[in-house]
Amino acid sequence: MLVMKKLSKSFRSGIVETRALSNFDLELEAGEFLTVTGPSGSGKSTFLNITGLIDSYDDGEYFLDGENVSKLSDERLARLRSEKIGFIFQRFHLIPELTVYQNIEVPLLYRGWGKSQCKQAIEEVLASLALESRRQHKPEQLSGGQQQRVAIARALVGKPKLLLADEPTGDLDSVSAKKIVNVLRQINEHGTTVILVTHDLALARKSRRRLQIVDGRLIDFKQIVHSEWRET
Ligand SMILES: Nc1ncnc2c1ncn2[C@@H]1O[C@H](COP(=O)(O)OP(=O)(O)OP(=O)(O)O)[C@@H](O)[C@H]1O
Ligand SMILES: [Mg+2]
């Protein structure tokens, strides 16, 4: 469902140029569960933002479900994003003026869903993330972990084909983190392709496919396993 060929991205601020991704090649089949690890600043969020059509790239090609992304208008990109992609941001990005319920409703309203259709989907996702009693709270009235769960609920509520999660368990204790991972697994079992960026190596090792990004370069453990490479 996703093909990247020699993708590159640099950031320039003043005289400093940072090559955030370099010659990135990746093929991902629909239904895969991919974890991505790598040191801070290695390009993980950049990779996820490009994958989620939030950020652009400088060179190379990116095909999402066969469509060449660089050829699409901003309007078409926004539509694709809203139809296919759920994004859990590293820094939540909840809307402070809106309640938990309304925050989760936003992506559905974008898609043109009616209020009652929204209500059913939102109630379901509130229950699966144990947030029912918080539906009228504003983000500032929630703990960090609860805010994170709202961000996850918002990404899941539209049942996206592709779910991108940037450190979704970073602010959670190990029990809550495990619950979130189980929610992601269930979503994946129902057919959603999941890309999970995490610092949790134990978690990454358990996933069927694993990538590491180091200095904007990709190490694909699938390829490594095939060439009988062993981790030390
Ligand atoms: N908007 C930007 N302007 C300039 N440089 C940027 C920008 N965004 C990211 N970078 C740089 O690109 C590199 C990759 O950043 P990125 O956020 O992708 O790292 P990361 O792997 O997600 O790190 P972390 O684990 O800390 O979240 C870093 O060196 C960062 O400083
Ligand atoms: Mg990051």
Side-chain angles (χ1 to χ4, degrees):
M1 80 169 305
L2 184 160
V3 179
M4 290 177 173
K5 288 183 185 160
K6 302 221 172 305
L7 218 63
S8 293
K9 167 84 177 173
S10 296
F11 292 106
R12 191 187 296 277
S13 63
I15 53 162
V16 183
E17 183 170 337
T18 309
R19 213 167 158 76
L21 290 184
S22 120
N23 272 332
F24 217 82
D25 281 314
L26 178 66
E27 276 192 42
L28 198 64
E29 306 279 343
E32 285 199 73
F33 194 118
L34 173 74
T35 55
V36 180
T37 57
S40 181
S42 59
K44 302 181 299 295
S45 294
T46 306
F47 159 66
L48 224 53
N49 290 343
I50 292 174
T51 308
L53 312 176
I54 290 167
D55 209 347
S56 61
Y57 46 92
D58 307 325
D59 283 307
E61 287 184 297
Y62 172 21
F63 296 87
L64 181 63
D65 278 340
E67 278 195 272
N68 188 342
V69 167
S70 56
K71 298 219 157 65
L72 301 178
S73 64
D74 285 350
E75 198 184 326
R76 178 83 187 115
L77 283 176
R79 241 214 355 263
L80 263 186
R81 206 158 44 221
S82 133
E83 281 167 4
K84 294 195 178 177
I85 297 172
F87 209 117
I88 304 167
F89 294 95
Q90 192 166 12
R91 290 184 195 85
F92 317 151
H93 290 304
L94 298 175
I95 303 170
E97 299 80 20
L98 301 184
T99 64
V100 165
Y101 186 97
Q102 291 165 332
N103 263 285
I104 299 172
E105 193 178 36
V106 168
L108 302 179
L109 296 177
Y110 261 114
R111 283 196 194 178
W113 286 26
K115 283 277 179 186
S116 65
Q117 196 184 4
C118 288
K119 186 163 179 11
Q120 200 179 350
I122 296 168
E123 292 301 336
E124 207 177 289
V125 84
L126 283 172
S128 76
L129 289 157
L131 285 166
E132 298 106 310
S133 65
R134 293 290 176 272
R135 78 189 78 203
Q136 296 307 332
H137 285 57
K138 299 271 177 68
E140 63 177 13
Q141 300 168 317
L142 301 173
S143 70
Q146 288 167 340
Q147 289 182 36
Q148 195 146 25
R149 270 156 38 219
V150 176
I152 293 167
R154 182 182 54 185
L156 296 183
V157 71
K159 300 203 164 51
K161 275 183 83 172
L162 176 61
L163 180 70
L164 306 173
D166 203 348
E167 285 281 349
T169 57
D171 276 12
L172 302 177
D173 61 88
S174 62
V175 174
S176 309
K178 218 168 169 181
K179 281 188 192 151
I180 296 303
V181 171
N182 283 335
V183 171
L184 298 183
R185 285 219 174 107
Q186 276 169 24
I187 294 283
N188 177 246
E189 276 160 20
H190 285 95
T192 295
T193 310
V194 177
I195 304 182
L196 169 66
V197 168
T198 178
H199 280 113
D200 185 342
L201 279 178
L203 171 64
R205 287 202 180 98
K206 274 190 244 158
S207 82
R208 263 174 286 156
R209 184 153 174 219
R210 196 179 142 206
L211 299 182
Q212 200 177 359
I213 301 180
V214 179
D215 278 342
R217 289 173 195 279
L218 188 72
I219 302 170
D220 191 336
F221 280 79
K222 193 170 159 189
Q223 293 161 7
I224 288 168
V225 169
H226 284 160
S227 63
E228 310 243 329
W229 188 82
R230 293 275 178 271
E231 259 180 284
T232 50

